[in-house]
Amino acid sequence: MKKNIFPFTAIVGQEKIKKALILNAINPSIGGVLIKGDRGTGKTTAVRALANLLPEIEVVEGCSFNCDEDSYREFELYKVNDKSADDDILIIKKPMSVVELPLGATEDRVVGSLDIEKALKEGIKALEPGLLAQTNRNILYIDEINLLDDNLVDILLDAAAFGVNTIEREGISISHPSRFILVGTMNPEEGELRGQLSDRIGLEIEVEGIGNIDDRILIMKRREEFEMDPASFIAKFDDEQKELQNRIIEAQKLLNNVEIDSTSLEIIARITLELGAEGHRSDISILKTSKTIAAFNNHLKVDDNDLEEAISLVLGNDKLLSQRIQKIKKDIEKRDEENSSDSLEGIQNKIEEQLQESLQKKLQDINQNTDFGLDKEKTSNKSDIDDNNSEDIEDIEKIDLGNNKSKKLDFVNDSDFKIKDEFDSKINQGEKIENFNDIDIEGKLDIKKY
């Protein structure tokens, strides 16, 4: 760890600044951090402390562009040192650093230019890398970013968007990787940031001085202790520093495995429209940030808290944010329930149609069997058939099974069969029938008296 750098975990308060910086360290594709606020709120201290917190990076020895082995060969950067691709390379480790971009910097200082000293002394064309070469895989810090020259803003936007910087000077043309964590600070009272640059920066944080008395006292004590004995003060927070560093490393490994469901994606799309966000960059930034927060929290799936925090960091503070998210979520759930209900209703209707068809077929079979039995009885004695039964038989063809209600239908008058059953039962049991008139069969049974 570096000496005389105030520990990141020793910073009191300013949780949003620290969280935004950590998230960009885990996932630089978020797009950087814009910190708005007054001077003296610990912005610069936090940025320098972050660089000291992060693990060392592996670079090719002698490469002025902080390149790893892959980019060293891909961009043919060995040619800068008059070497070939077959030459052996040595990989070394070096700590991450904070590269500050001064407001008065020229384009050549930022992009890179011809090395005038070598040109004059040795008569050769050599490249002098610019700030974008130094900041590759490091942190680019721009104080008062809202006062930066528009031409430099355009250069930074191109480098940030493509991750590549191209230098073309005096017959020299070379490209090199330029991937960095962009951190800009500004005081809104000194002017607004150019909209194009503000839109490209992923997270936007508004900070102010800490109002809690105990926290302000703690800040003074820690700062005094650090200035009196930096080594001892840093040692006190060594365990916390290592723990946070390991957490960042684990989150970087987990990030690509984090998932987000369709409901959360719809919440993101709706909330950006509701809050009037322009374009689609906000949606993409929220998506990346929410997955990064989930990885930092050791989640394999983005939950509601991860999503809400991401929206707050990207779109700024909104007191009604929680209510907005819950309302959108309920609307989505209600819609899904209605769609599910409609689907079930369709299945039910289909089943009911099949049942109706089956019932109609059964009724037709019953109709045929009943007609056959009644015709046979008519043949033996047509007078025994009641007129009402004939009407009931005709009604079978008019059965209506609508509205899913079953209707009890009397195909024949079953009272006649009950009387006959009673009569047969007495005979089968050997009972003596003294008076046939005791049995009221209303002439429906043809019983002969012997």
Side-chain angles (χ1 to χ4, degrees):
M1 305 293 287
K2 288 182 180 180
K3 299 291 183 180
N4 301 332
I5 300 294
F6 197 85
F8 191 85
T9 54
I11 297 174
V12 179
Q14 306 299 8
E15 298 302 325
K16 277 197 170 183
I17 294 179
K18 292 189 288 185
K19 191 62 171 290
L21 292 172
I22 289 172
L23 295 177
N24 273 274
I26 296 171
N27 184 10
S29 68
I30 288 175
V33 187
L34 175 62
I35 305 173
K36 296 181 178 181
D38 301 330
R39 297 178 182 274
T41 52
K43 300 185 294 293
T44 305
T45 300
V47 174
R48 294 187 181 280
L50 175 69
N52 186 56
L53 171 70
L54 297 178
E56 296 179 324
I57 57 176
E58 293 183 348
V59 300
V60 175
E61 186 180 33
C63 179
S64 302
F65 308 95
N66 292 316
C67 52
D68 56 16
E69 184 176 355
D70 292 337
S71 59
Y72 181 76
R73 299 188 186 282
E74 178 185 354
F75 289 90
E76 300 181 344
L77 297 176
Y78 45 81
K79 293 181 178 180
V80 176
N81 297 326
D82 295 327
K83 294 183 178 181
S84 68
D86 297 329
D87 291 339
D88 294 334
I89 60 174
L90 179 64
I91 302 297
I92 62 173
K93 287 187 176 183
K94 60 186 297 187
M96 290 187 67
S97 62
V98 177
V99 179
E100 294 192 40
L101 177 62
L103 293 178
T106 63
E107 181 178 341
D108 287 346
R109 179 73 183 93
V110 174
V111 177
S113 62
L114 186 69
D115 190 331
I116 302 298
E117 184 177 354
K118 284 189 176 182
L120 294 176
K121 290 183 178 181
E122 303 177 20
I124 60 174
K125 293 181 179 179
L127 179 69
E128 182 179 0
L131 290 175
L132 288 177
Q134 298 176 33
T135 197
N136 182 40
R137 303 173 69 198
N138 285 310
I139 299 173
L140 178 61
Y141 179 62
I142 309 174
D143 193 19
E144 305 296 343
I145 191 173
N146 52 324
L147 304 180
L148 193 65
D149 183 73
D150 286 347
N151 184 45
L152 295 182
V153 169
D154 293 334
I155 293 172
L156 292 175
L157 290 178
D158 289 340
F162 299 105
V164 176
N165 177 49
T166 300
I167 307 170
E168 293 182 346
R169 293 289 188 277
E170 304 297 333
I172 297 176
S173 179
I174 189 171
S175 296
H176 66 84
S178 184
R179 299 181 178 90
F180 50 84
I181 300 173
L182 175 62
V183 181
T185 61
M186 60 173 285
N187 185 346
E189 295 180 357
E190 298 176 352
E192 290 299 324
L193 182 64
R194 181 178 170 184
Q196 190 177 5
L197 181 56
S198 176
D199 186 47
R200 294 289 186 92
I201 299 177
L203 307 182
E204 185 174 311
I205 309 298
E206 293 186 8
V207 298
E208 55 187 15
I210 296 174
N212 184 278
I213 297 298
D214 292 335
D215 287 343
R216 295 178 74 95
I217 293 173
L218 183 58
I219 290 171
M220 290 186 287
K221 287 182 176 180
R222 287 187 175 180
R223 191 66 198 182
E224 184 180 32
E225 185 179 351
F226 173 72
E227 291 177 352
M228 290 179 62
D229 189 353
S232 298
F233 184 80
I234 291 172
K236 286 175 58 176
F237 292 90
D238 189 51
D239 290 341
E240 293 182 33
Q241 290 281 101
K242 288 181 179 179
E243 182 180 352
L244 181 55
Q245 184 186 83
N246 291 333
R247 191 176 175 185
I248 291 172
I249 294 172
E250 291 301 316
Q252 290 172 335
K253 297 176 181 177
L254 185 63
L255 181 61
N256 290 333
N257 297 323
V258 176
E259 297 179 352
I260 185 169
D261 57 34
S262 57
T263 298
S264 297
L265 290 175
E266 186 168 345
I267 291 174
I268 294 173
R270 289 193 179 193
I271 204 73
T272 52
L273 286 174
E274 191 172 312
L275 296 179
E278 297 180 359
H280 305 284
R281 286 198 178 95
S282 296
D283 304 59
I284 297 171
S285 294
I286 294 172
L287 172 61
K288 291 180 178 180
T289 304
S290 61
K291 295 180 74 172
T292 308
I293 292 172
F296 184 66
N297 293 332
N298 198 30
H299 298 162
L300 284 174
K301 185 176 180 180
V302 175
D303 63 21
D304 290 348
N305 293 329
D306 300 331
L307 184 61
E308 183 175 341
E309 184 177 3
I311 294 172
S312 178
L313 289 172
V314 174
L315 299 181
N317 292 325
D318 181 1
K319 296 179 180 180
L320 300 177
L321 181 58
S322 295
Q323 292 88 328
R324 293 179 190 274
I325 292 175
Q326 291 304 317
K327 182 180 181 301
I328 292 173
K329 190 173 183 180
K330 288 180 180 179
D331 290 343
I332 295 173
E333 291 174 351
K334 182 179 179 181
R335 182 201 64 198
D336 291 344
E337 288 177 0
E338 290 176 352
N339 292 339
S340 177
S341 177
D342 291 342
S343 178
L344 289 174
E345 186 176 350
I347 294 173
Q348 289 175 347
N349 290 337
K350 186 174 181 180
I351 293 174
E352 288 171 359
E353 289 175 2
Q354 293 175 350
L355 288 174
Q356 287 182 4
E357 291 177 359
S358 179
L359 286 173
Q360 290 287 2
K361 185 176 180 181
K362 293 289 185 183
L363 290 172
Q364 288 175 2
D365 293 341
I366 293 172
N367 185 18
Q368 292 175 359
N369 293 335
T370 304
D371 287 343
F372 176 77
L374 291 175
D375 289 342
K376 186 176 181 181
E377 189 173 354
K378 283 180 181 180
T379 303
S380 61
N381 191 351
K382 295 182 179 180
S383 62
D384 291 338
I385 299 177
D386 190 270
D387 293 337
N388 293 331
N389 290 342
S390 178
E391 294 176 359
D392 290 339
I393 293 169
E394 293 176 358
D395 290 339
I396 291 175
E397 298 177 354
K398 301 178 180 179
I399 292 173
D400 181 12
L401 295 178
N403 300 324
N404 301 323
K405 295 181 180 179
S406 62
K407 298 182 179 179
K408 183 177 180 181
L409 301 176
D410 293 328
F411 302 110
V412 294
N413 193 339
D414 60 352
S415 63
D416 299 340
F417 294 96
K418 291 180 181 179
I419 295 170
K420 185 177 182 301
D421 290 341
E422 181 182 352
F423 174 75
D424 291 341
S425 177
K426 288 184 177 182
I427 293 176
N428 293 335
Q429 294 175 10
E431 292 184 21
K432 183 179 180 181
I433 306 300
E434 296 181 352
N435 189 359
F436 288 101
N437 294 327
D438 292 340
I439 300 175
D440 184 12
I441 58 176
E442 297 180 354
K444 294 179 177 58
L445 297 175
D446 187 12
I447 302 175
K448 294 181 181 182
K449 301 179 182 178
Y450 296 95

